[in-house]
Amino acid sequence: MPFRSEEDLSCPICQDIFKDPVVLSCSHSFCRDCLQTWWTGKATEECPVCKRRSSRTNPPTNLALKNLCETFLLERDQTAASESVCSLHSEKLKLFCLDHQQLVCLVCRDSKTHTGHKFRPIDEAAEEHREELQKSLKTLQEKLKLFGDVKENFDQTAKHIKVQTQNTEQQIKEQFKKLHQFLQEEEEARIKALREEEEQKSKVMKEKIDGLSREIETLSNTIRDTEKELRAEDVSFLKNYKSAAERVQQRLLVEDPHLDSGALIDQAKHLGNLTFNIWNKLMDLVSYSPVILDPNTAHPALILSEDLTSVSHGDRQKLPENPERFEKYLFVLASEGFNSGTHSWVADVGHSTLWSLGVASESFEKKKNLQSGACRIKFSHGKYSAFPPSADPVILSVTKKLQQIRVNLDCDSRKLSFYDLDADSHIHTFTCTVNEKLFPCIGNGSTATIKILSHQTDHNGH
């Protein structure tokens, strides 16, 4: 009976090397005591592995397996004994060489190979190395936990990607549905106008055709009667000449028919600059926001609007811990940063009782030091303050409650200015010393909404 490892010689019940193994009729083997204990209190004596009922209450000993187990145990004991003896000097291993990190005997210690080396008794060396390995094991266990936590976050991130895709796809479809509806309604309105003009002008033409048909019939009758008079005898002709001449003269005085101007469909009115006029009308329905908030940077307790232009504070959401996201501060960044030119946007802070407005640098350490790369003004506890990078905050002398605030960023001069839009007055100006791309930044610790106000677009889409 060949076997590959100690597992092949282990009892399925106790998981140890077989002791007095017995074999059932189904060919499965167990320790005699293990099997008897297993059967105690059971109604039927069946195999613990395959559940087949045993034909014997006292199964026979598996002699072949018993011999294999005894041989295996003997060889294992001999191997263990040989491992505690020096292979070079056949002396018992009593010391551990710290320099070579190996077990040695007393002869090895005094040999040239270990001259000047440090040694420890086996028990002391084992204790020290156990402690070292225990520390390493603890670090490894912590690493395993970290990996597990990261995997859990990765799993959550994968699910969140699908949720983001579904939500974004739904919003895209809704936006295009509105555009399709607008275009459909516009098409129907313009077709209706065309049909109304066709109906009106067709009615006019029908009236003219009917009138002309009647006039043609009258003329035809007059011509026929006149031709008849011309063929009559002289006496009869002269007798009726005056009335015939009057009839002819009356018809000759009728104005010649003509087609009035504007009788045709005004195609130029319906087709001229059609797409531009539709685009122009569409512009009255859409708006452009100079700042779009990035939901991937938003603190989990911040709620963004569907169009990503408003933010409020709410219940903490279960979101992936991605590197861009604020975890410590109730902030959200814009999706686009600026490193050149002049840019402006207006934020309506509404009734928020705790807010921040400003910019943050591209390398801003969001989870650590708030002052490392942000220029912002803040409203808290009824007071307005300015927070320059790496400097103490400055109390602002604002006497009127701010509602709509214009933020101007001049990247070339690195100036960031704030203005009270309602009072048309200057609030504060920073000089941003960080020579990096700057991202608009909003903080909100209130359930009241802060909104980036939209700019109405012109015909060029600006």
Side-chain angles (χ1 to χ4, degrees):
M1 179 180 175
F3 61 90
R4 297 186 301 273
S5 65
E6 183 175 337
E7 183 178 347
D8 295 319
L9 301 177
S10 297
C11 171
I13 298 176
C14 67
Q15 303 297 317
D16 202 355
I17 302 298
F18 284 106
K19 297 181 183 65
D20 190 13
V22 295
V23 60
L24 300 181
S25 56
C26 60
S27 299
H28 290 122
S29 296
F30 307 91
C31 298
R32 186 180 298 278
D33 290 343
C34 291
L35 183 62
Q36 293 300 329
T37 302
W38 179 273
W39 282 348
T40 301
K42 289 185 171 57
T44 59
E45 295 169 337
E46 58 183 23
C47 174
V49 175
C50 66
K51 306 305 179 184
R52 181 177 172 181
R53 186 168 183 176
S54 176
S55 59
R56 298 183 180 183
T57 58
N58 187 22
T61 300
N62 189 335
L63 291 176
L65 182 58
K66 182 178 181 182
N67 292 335
L68 281 173
C69 292
E70 291 175 352
T71 302
F72 176 80
L73 291 172
L74 180 61
E75 291 177 352
R76 189 174 67 176
D77 293 340
Q78 290 176 347
T79 300
S82 64
E83 288 177 351
S84 63
V85 175
C86 177
S87 59
L88 296 176
H89 308 108
S90 299
E91 295 286 335
K92 190 172 182 180
L93 298 172
K94 293 187 176 182
L95 299 174
F96 185 77
C97 177
L98 299 180
D99 297 86
H100 282 171
Q101 292 289 299
Q102 67 181 28
L103 290 163
V104 297
C105 68
L106 296 178
V107 178
C108 291
R109 179 194 61 183
D110 299 330
S111 67
K112 184 178 180 180
T113 305
H114 295 279
T115 301
H117 289 184
K118 294 182 179 179
F119 301 90
R120 288 283 189 278
I122 288 178
D123 57 344
E124 291 184 11
E127 183 63 27
E128 290 177 1
H129 283 67
R130 278 195 180 91
E131 291 177 359
E132 291 177 5
L133 190 59
Q134 188 67 36
K135 290 179 182 178
S136 299
L137 178 61
K138 185 177 180 181
T139 304
L140 198 61
Q141 290 170 337
E142 292 173 353
K143 193 178 188 68
L144 176 62
K145 185 179 183 303
L146 173 63
F147 276 39
D149 293 341
V150 172
K151 183 182 180 298
E152 182 179 351
N153 187 54
F154 281 8
D155 292 338
Q156 184 182 353
T157 301
K159 293 178 181 178
H160 190 65
I161 289 172
K162 291 187 178 297
V163 171
Q164 282 184 307
T165 301
Q166 292 171 356
N167 292 342
T168 304
E169 180 179 341
Q170 181 62 32
Q171 291 181 46
I172 290 174
K173 287 181 177 179
E174 289 177 359
Q175 292 298 321
F176 272 94
K177 184 178 179 181
K178 292 178 182 178
L179 293 175
H180 292 158
Q181 183 177 354
F182 165 79
L183 291 175
Q184 183 178 353
E185 291 175 353
E186 192 66 20
E187 177 187 359
E188 292 173 354
R190 291 176 183 274
I191 295 296
K192 181 181 179 183
L194 174 63
R195 297 300 185 196
E196 287 176 349
E197 183 180 355
E198 178 199 19
E199 182 181 355
Q200 185 266 328
K201 290 188 174 180
S202 295
K203 181 180 179 182
V204 171
M205 287 307 303
K206 185 177 184 305
E207 292 174 353
K208 285 183 176 292
I209 291 171
D210 291 344
L212 187 57
S213 296
R214 288 192 298 271
E215 187 61 32
I216 288 173
E217 183 179 0
T218 302
L219 282 174
S220 297
N221 293 335
T222 301
I223 291 172
R224 185 176 61 251
D225 292 344
T226 303
E227 289 176 342
K228 184 178 179 182
E229 292 294 338
L230 288 172
R231 290 193 300 268
E233 294 293 334
D234 292 345
V235 173
S236 177
F237 169 73
L238 292 173
K239 184 178 180 180
N240 297 320
Y241 169 76
K242 184 177 180 181
S243 60
E246 288 177 353
R247 286 196 303 272
V248 170
Q249 192 61 37
Q250 185 179 5
R251 302 303 349 135
L252 289 174
L253 292 175
V254 174
E255 184 180 354
D256 292 343
H258 63 277
L259 190 64
D260 295 333
S261 298
L264 298 178
I265 294 294
D266 190 354
Q267 288 181 279
K269 178 183 72 174
H270 295 288
L271 296 178
N273 290 323
L274 177 60
T275 54
F276 175 80
N277 291 333
I278 293 174
W279 172 262
N280 191 30
K281 190 172 181 180
L282 181 62
M283 289 302 96
D284 295 333
L285 304 178
V286 300
S287 58
Y288 168 78
S289 177
V291 170
I292 297 298
L293 303 178
D294 184 357
N296 293 337
T297 68
H299 185 279
L302 291 182
I303 311 297
L304 304 188
S305 60
E306 286 190 352
D307 63 358
L308 305 179
T309 61
S310 301
V311 57
S312 60
H313 184 276
D315 295 333
R316 186 181 179 93
Q317 308 163 85
K318 188 171 180 57
L319 298 173
E321 295 180 5
N322 50 301
E324 307 93 334
R325 191 176 306 283
F326 285 96
E327 288 291 343
K328 186 176 180 181
Y329 304 104
L330 294 168
F331 283 176
V332 59
L333 296 182
S335 61
E336 182 183 1
F338 310 111
N339 55 10
S340 63
T342 301
H343 308 272
S344 177
W345 59 94
V346 175
D348 189 337
V349 296
H351 299 289
S352 176
T353 55
L354 177 59
W355 54 259
S356 291
L357 292 179
V359 296
S361 64
E362 192 169 17
S363 62
F364 182 40
E365 298 182 26
K366 298 182 287 294
K367 303 181 191 305
K368 297 180 182 178
N369 183 10
L370 186 61
Q371 296 297 93
S372 62
C375 296
R376 62 192 177 97
I377 62 172
K378 179 181 179 181
F379 178 65
S380 177
H381 299 99
K383 295 182 180 180
Y384 298 91
S385 306
F387 289 78
S390 305
D392 294 331
V394 177
I395 301 299
L396 300 176
S397 56
V398 177
T399 57
K400 177 180 172 293
K401 188 178 186 303
L402 299 177
Q403 190 76 22
Q404 294 185 353
I405 302 169
R406 178 179 294 280
V407 186
N408 288 343
L409 174 62
D410 187 341
C411 294
D412 301 326
S413 65
R414 313 305 287 180
K415 298 289 186 182
L416 177 68
S417 301
F418 298 85
Y419 298 88
D420 180 355
L421 198 63
D422 297 321
D424 193 21
S425 59
H426 174 257
I427 300 172
H428 188 74
T429 295
F430 292 99
T431 298
C432 301
T433 57
V434 190
N435 191 23
E436 297 178 15
K437 184 179 287 188
L438 298 173
F439 290 80
C441 178
I442 297 179
N444 192 1
S446 168
T447 55
T449 299
I450 296 178
K451 180 173 180 59
I452 301 295
L453 299 185
S454 301
H455 294 336
Q456 206 69 23
T457 57
D458 59 26
H459 295 161
N460 295 317
H462 298 124

